[in-house]
Amino acid sequence: YAGLPVNAAAQLRADSWQPSLLTLPEHQCKPHPSTYGFRGVGNLYIWQELDPKSLELVKIGTHIRWQAQRREIWMDGRPHPDEMYPHTWQGFSTGEWEGDTLVVTTTHLKAGWMRRNGLALSDQATMIERFIPQGDDETILHIYMVQDPVYLDDVFFKSNGFSKRRCRVLRNVRGAYRSRAWRWDYDVA
């Protein structure tokens, strides 16, 4: 665990974890949580959903094909719900623009993992992400910072990049107008 800000509880849990756990039927179809999914396999699709009357941005949707990891990033200024709101694999995400950078805050995550080697995250983990377009408008740098008072002593940083491939335009899906959709292929650079 060199270089990872894990505490003694995280190390103990990881050391006692057995990979055979993933062979049990109830664990085979667990999707990757949003704290891990962007680092996994599959193409990332990103689209905007606009209010049909005002054409204001309501949310940004993301979808990673592998395990159908679909996420909503609310852009309409709504607050995060109280602690009793259900926790999900993708959590509850809100976003705001800082210049050209999309900054996303995610709470209400189910207990998951930092890595699929037993390094766990609790349901108290939160994540802040930055999606930063690069100068060529064809790549995005994705930086995410995870905090967890149960298993981390400090912020856990990860980063990766995506390169853009144009997709078809989607309109009037579930009653909302969707502007251009983009497929972003994972870049291991």
Side-chain angles (χ1 to χ4, degrees), residues 34 71-74 76-82 85-95 104-110 126-127 129:
S34 59
R71 193 166 163 211
E72 296 175 324
I73 301 168
W74 295 98
D76 58 359
R78 69 182 64 194
H80 283 255
D82 70 33
Y85 191 80
H87 287 54
T88 66
W89 292 112
Q90 301 305 308
F92 186 93
S93 299
T94 58
V104 179
T105 302
T106 302
T107 60
H108 295 80
L109 291 157
K110 280 189 176 189
T126 59
M127 177 172 60
E129 300 165 275

Side-chain angles (χ1 to χ4, degrees), residues 1 7-18 21 27 30 111-113 117-123 148 150-151:
Y1 316 115
N7 61 24
Q11 289 181 16
L12 178 63
R13 181 153 177 195
D15 289 342
S16 61
W17 182 78
Q18 296 295 318
L21 175 73
H27 293 283
K30 275 186 180 176
W113 49 88
N117 64 357
L119 280 174
L121 284 174
S122 77
D123 64 353
D148 185 353
V150 176
Y151 292 122

Side-chain angles (χ1 to χ4, degrees), residues 144-155:
Y144 43 125
M145 301 154 279
V146 180
Q147 294 181 300
D148 185 353
V150 176
Y151 292 122
L152 294 174
D153 285 334
D154 205 348
V155 178

Side-chain angles (χ1 to χ4, degrees), residues 126-158:
T126 59
M127 177 172 60
I128 296 176
E129 300 165 275
R130 294 177 116 52
F131 294 87
I132 307 166
Q134 301 304 288
D136 61 4
D137 196 38
E138 296 297 316
T139 56
I140 289 179
L141 174 62
H142 178 227
I143 299 172
Y144 43 125
M145 301 154 279
V146 180
Q147 294 181 300
D148 185 353
V150 176
Y151 292 122
L152 294 174
D153 285 334
D154 205 348
V155 178
F156 178 49
F157 288 89
K158 290 198 247 183

